[in-house]
Amino acid sequence: MTAFLPRVLYVSGPVEPPWTRSDKNLVRDVATHLKRYRARVLTHEGVVGALPPEIETEAAWGPKISGHTPLGRRLGLMGRLLATSDVQLIHLFWPADPVVAQIVRLGARARGVPVIHTLVRAPSNTLGITRMVAGEPVVTLSRETQRRIQGDGIVDAVHIPHGVEPRKGRSKPDSDSIRTRYGIPHGPPLILYCGDYKHAYAARTVAAVLPRVLREIDCHFVMACRILDDDDRAEESRIREAVSADGLSNHVSFLNVVPDLRDLMAVCTVQIFPADSVNERMDMPRVLLEGMAEGLATVVANKAPFEEVVEPGGAIGVPTMQPVTIAAAVLDLLRDPKRRSALATAGRQLVESRFSIARVAERYESLYDRVLAEANDSLMASPPRSRLRETGGRIFSLRPRGERR
């Protein structure tokens, strides 16, 4: 029956493997969990079987090429796509971008289709934000970004957080086999940092935390950081040299792409994420929520947007770039199993109640209901002669396609 559901065009980067980018994972997961709408997502040509059958795909990105897609090709495909798509709603998953926003805005207006814009990254600067979004409502992934864009002129800003699958229904992996797979020593508790090497000095802070913890207790650190470019490679090399100089190389594992990150998370004890900023990154890191879902006791920076997990008790907040304080928090958790277990349980329950992808999809569907209802009301209030001109001959409806009165 999904063929008769109202269609929403998800305009984003190509939604296909490898699943190493949080923004396309968000698009895939929301599309998968819709119940009253059907999503159409964009892929490259030749992508088969990568998505559930209930998700429509359109190979609008054309043939896959190595490296980044040229800007001209990206803008051209969006223009062609918006000119031909048969959908009731356009949902743009994109950072704040004046060029892309204008193309989507004009294309949607020509088609008479309403637009929702989810900001998949926290903008570094919100001055002039009204020109950098394709329309309102604008969805933010954190309350902090919502507050910032409202202060600079966005009237209809809606906070819907990132969402992940809870642990429920997933069998816990065997710790010994996971450690063997990644060459991690058996026995000692594992401290996980999962993020980018360039993410606001977080990796360097973890490297400074490491010797302060290891002097007090036997454990093992896991640096699960992707190598995206030469700068990442150089940063990892510097951290390796510092660890080696301290004589601690045997207490640290450097992993890059991890095939099943959540299995690795499930056998770790504590995760730390001391990032000083999330500007131009996804507001609430997906890996952070996944670690909490897997029952990791979590230590984060005590600043926005991380207060959304600290204030409800799902994580411990500590000052950023202060290795001594962060190390003290980690040591307290390692030495106090009851406190660690309580924090892990609270984090897992917070994900289930607030960051579950099923709940996130429900909130998006409620937003779709509201936007389409407002579009209908606006259409009915306009003079009869202008209605077809304003909508390109379309009438908005919450009634499923194919359903008769």
Side-chain angles (χ1 to χ4, degrees):
M1 297 299 292
T2 57
F4 299 104
L5 296 176
R7 283 172 168 78
V8 184
L9 176 64
Y10 282 9
V11 179
S12 71
V15 185
E16 60 196 42
W19 303 113
T20 54
R21 281 181 44 182
S22 294
D23 54 349
K24 67 179 178 180
N25 287 345
L26 175 62
V27 175
R28 175 201 62 191
D29 292 348
V30 172
T32 301
H33 286 81
L34 296 179
K35 295 180 179 178
R36 296 183 291 104
Y37 290 82
R38 189 175 191 187
R40 180 181 297 162
V41 305
L42 311 185
T43 68
H44 284 108
E45 292 178 2
V47 176
V48 178
L51 295 164
E54 61 268 21
I55 300 177
E56 292 184 358
T57 61
E58 187 161 345
W61 281 93
K64 194 168 186 176
I65 60 176
S66 60
H68 295 291
T69 303
L71 177 62
R73 180 175 168 185
R74 281 186 282 169
L75 300 182
L77 75 89
M78 285 188 182
R80 293 193 301 274
L81 179 69
L82 295 173
T84 59
S85 290
D86 175 25
V87 293
Q88 283 69 53
L89 183 66
I90 294 171
H91 190 162
L92 176 65
F93 289 82
W94 208 268
D97 184 320
V99 177
V100 171
Q102 184 174 13
I103 289 175
V104 174
R105 188 187 308 120
L106 294 176
R109 187 178 299 166
R111 297 288 295 170
V113 180
V115 178
I116 294 170
H117 188 164
T118 291
L119 295 176
V120 296
R121 297 180 193 163
S124 57
N125 189 344
T126 57
L127 186 64
I129 189 68
T130 55
R131 299 190 302 273
M132 295 186 280
V133 297
E136 296 188 30
V138 178
V139 177
T140 69
L141 302 181
S142 70
R143 291 195 301 262
E144 172 66 8
T145 297
Q146 180 188 36
R147 181 193 64 78
R148 291 173 61 211
I149 68 173
Q150 285 176 329
D152 279 317
I154 299 297
V155 176
D156 193 358
V158 180
H159 170 223
I160 301 178
H162 200 343
V164 299
E165 288 282 1
R167 155 56 62 181
K168 290 180 178 178
R170 286 172 53 90
S171 59
K172 195 170 182 67
D174 178 68
S175 177
D176 288 343
S177 64
I178 296 297
R179 289 174 185 249
T180 299
R181 182 190 308 172
Y182 295 111
I184 297 171
H186 292 232
L190 304 181
I191 315 302
L192 176 68
Y193 168 66
C194 186
D196 295 336
Y197 278 114
K198 296 192 295 289
H199 197 142
Y201 301 106
R204 290 190 185 185
T205 302
V206 174
V209 168
L210 191 150
R212 291 169 169 84
V213 172
L214 288 169
R215 279 199 297 262
E216 301 292 330
I217 195 168
D218 182 33
C219 60
H220 193 85
F221 279 73
V222 179
M223 305 286 285
C225 305
R226 291 177 297 163
I227 301 291
L228 301 177
D229 52 33
D230 289 341
D231 289 340
D232 287 335
R233 195 168 287 106
E235 182 70 4
E236 183 188 79
S237 179
R238 283 189 288 267
I239 292 175
R240 282 179 179 269
E241 289 175 4
V243 170
S244 178
D246 287 332
L248 299 174
S249 296
N250 291 336
H251 294 273
V252 187
S253 293
F254 290 87
L255 307 179
N256 301 140
V257 176
V258 179
D260 192 333
L261 185 58
R262 291 192 62 163
D263 278 353
L264 174 63
M265 290 173 167
V267 303
C268 292
T269 306
V270 175
Q271 69 171 342
I272 54 178
F273 201 90
D276 186 55
S277 168
V278 294
N279 287 345
E280 298 306 325
R281 296 287 196 277
M282 184 164 279
D283 302 45
M284 186 66 70
R286 178 186 181 88
V287 291
L288 185 69
L289 297 177
E290 289 181 327
M292 293 170 64
E294 294 298 330
L296 282 177
T298 299
V299 179
V300 296
N302 62 350
K303 61 186 301 182
F306 302 112
E307 81 280 359
E308 293 183 31
V309 295
V310 173
E311 290 176 359
I316 294 175
V318 294
T320 61
M321 300 178 69
Q322 294 190 20
V324 173
T325 306
I326 298 169
V330 172
L331 287 168
D332 285 346
L333 290 172
L334 293 177
R335 288 167 173 159
D336 190 341
K338 288 185 178 180
R339 186 184 182 203
R340 186 174 71 241
S341 177
L343 182 63
T345 298
R348 185 170 58 247
Q349 291 175 345
L350 180 64
V351 169
E352 292 171 0
S353 64
R354 189 173 300 184
F355 297 99
S356 159
I357 188 60
R359 292 180 182 274
V360 167
E362 287 176 3
R363 293 185 61 182
Y364 273 116
E365 290 195 307
S366 296
L367 185 61
Y368 298 162
D369 292 344
R370 194 252 285 182
V371 169
L372 287 177
E374 289 174 352
N376 254 338
D377 291 344
S378 176
L379 178 64
M380 293 301 103
S382 63
R385 289 184 179 181
S386 68
R387 291 177 187 170
L388 293 181
R389 182 176 69 251
E390 291 178 359
T391 65
R394 304 169 65 84
I395 301 294
F396 301 111
S397 177
L398 296 180
R399 186 175 297 107
R401 296 180 61 181
E403 181 181 310
R404 298 182 180 275
R405 291 181 180 270

